[in-house]
Amino acid sequence: MLKQIEIFAIAMMFVLITAIILIIYTMQRGQEFKAHQSTIQKATVHGAAYAVKLQLANKHRHVRLFLDEYEKLVTHLILFPTDTKTASDIKERLQQRFTDFFTFTVTNQKGVPLLLDFDSLVGDACMVDLQQYFKSISRKEVALNKVFVHPQPYHYHYDIMAPLYSSRAGAHIFFASFDLRDIIDIIRTHEIPGQTLMLVKRSDPTLIEAAKQGARDKLTFREVRLSKEEQQAIRVYENIPDTDWRLVNIPDADFERHYLRGLWIEAAIIIFIVTLALLLLIFILARYNTERKES
């Protein structure tokens, strides 16, 4: 017949073995969670980056198709830049073709916008971008303009440019601006709980270009630059071709910490239940032995 102390020792040994197994299992689950999160982050970033790349490629293609379709109208505007009726007609057609259209302009043979006062919406950043792109098409290079956010007051946007070669007018640029609603929709639909997707500027990686809440001017609830903690937390990112954009994934430390804490709480509850059950069993056995001896 086992003594009470021996029964207690066996029970505690069982609890210890159970605890060791649960600790090992919980640590393994934690590692699997982190590995799974890493895989999800890579897939999310790649999928969102590809969607942005495809969106911009389609935008470039459709702008070129628009230019091919209305080449005579645009060439007429180049030759007669004060023709506001033609400019309005082109703008109306662009608005019908592109729901995210903002404004447009065309350049002269020196790459200077002819419609600079058209809605007064072509800013300094657009001008610099135009000049750089004009140098490329002047050398007959096949190039896409490098897309980035232009901080026009009250309307942050990006530009898509297409060359226009005409025997009558020479080399010119057709230039259209678009807001970021489609890009933001991509970020919003690809972001999942526990992760934050952001577009940052590749040439200035701390500067946020867009997030699911909107372009940089809409991020009034936070700083427009990544904090040191956010920079250090970035594990996965992908550069968007033909842009100055980098898509980054910032994992939510609280989300991971909460999940891992939940695993350890779950293990602790199981150990507590096993210990309580064994102590109850020991108590019942002890009482049974006492009653047996008394009888």
Side-chain angles (χ1 to χ4, degrees), residues 39-101:
T39 301
I40 291 176
Q41 287 173 24
K42 291 176 182 178
T44 301
V45 168
H46 180 71
Y50 180 77
V52 172
K53 173 187 172 183
L54 193 62
Q55 170 70 23
L56 294 177
N58 285 333
K59 191 73 73 179
H60 278 288
R61 181 169 62 86
H62 285 293
V63 167
R64 289 175 184 272
L65 288 173
F66 180 90
L67 186 57
D68 290 342
E69 185 176 348
Y70 295 103
E71 181 178 354
K72 291 183 180 179
L73 202 61
V74 175
T75 300
H76 174 82
L77 185 61
I78 291 172
L79 296 172
F80 304 98
T82 58
D83 185 350
T84 56
K85 175 65 169 61
T86 299
S88 296
D89 288 344
I90 294 174
K91 181 180 180 181
E92 183 178 352
R93 286 170 170 77
L94 283 166
Q95 289 172 332
Q96 293 171 348
R97 185 71 58 88
F98 304 102
T99 57
D100 53 350
F101 170 74

Side-chain angles (χ1 to χ4, degrees), residues 97-250:
R97 185 71 58 88
F98 304 102
T99 57
D100 53 350
F101 170 74
F102 174 44
T103 190
F104 86 101
T105 191
V106 290
T107 70
N108 62 19
Q109 291 181 319
K110 296 181 181 179
V112 177
L114 294 173
L115 310 177
L116 188 59
D117 293 331
F118 187 69
D119 285 350
S120 301
L121 296 175
V122 179
D124 294 338
C126 302
M127 292 283 290
V128 173
D129 202 17
L130 272 169
Q131 295 296 328
Q132 292 176 344
Y133 187 70
F134 184 78
K135 292 177 183 177
S136 298
I137 68 166
S138 297
R139 295 190 294 268
K140 298 287 184 177
E141 293 181 2
V142 178
L144 302 177
N145 65 293
K146 201 168 189 178
V147 174
F148 60 95
V149 171
H150 294 255
Q152 184 71 19
Y154 308 110
H155 205 120
Y156 281 35
H157 62 274
Y158 66 92
D159 300 332
I160 297 293
M161 303 179 190
L164 176 63
Y165 302 102
S166 170
S167 57
R168 295 176 62 195
H172 294 77
I173 299 172
F174 179 78
F175 162 107
S177 297
F178 303 91
D179 62 43
L180 281 85
R181 71 181 72 172
D182 291 340
I183 304 297
I184 292 164
D185 281 343
I186 290 172
I187 295 174
R188 186 180 295 117
T189 54
H190 281 77
E191 188 174 289
I192 62 176
Q195 301 179 22
T196 300
L197 293 177
M198 287 185 179
L199 276 177
V200 299
K201 200 167 187 178
R202 201 190 311 180
S203 59
D204 187 5
T206 66
L207 183 62
I208 301 171
E209 292 276 79
K212 69 178 181 181
Q213 293 84 1
R216 188 166 61 246
D217 60 328
K218 303 299 182 183
L219 305 182
T220 54
F221 61 94
R222 58 155 296 147
E223 295 293 328
V224 297
R225 289 188 176 274
L226 298 177
S227 65
K228 290 184 179 179
E229 291 76 14
E230 288 173 324
Q231 295 174 54
Q232 293 170 354
I234 295 173
R235 302 171 187 169
V236 181
Y237 68 86
E238 191 166 326
N239 294 330
I240 311 296
D242 301 314
T243 73
D244 195 19
W245 286 343
R246 172 177 294 167
L247 187 69
V248 301
N249 186 308
I250 305 174

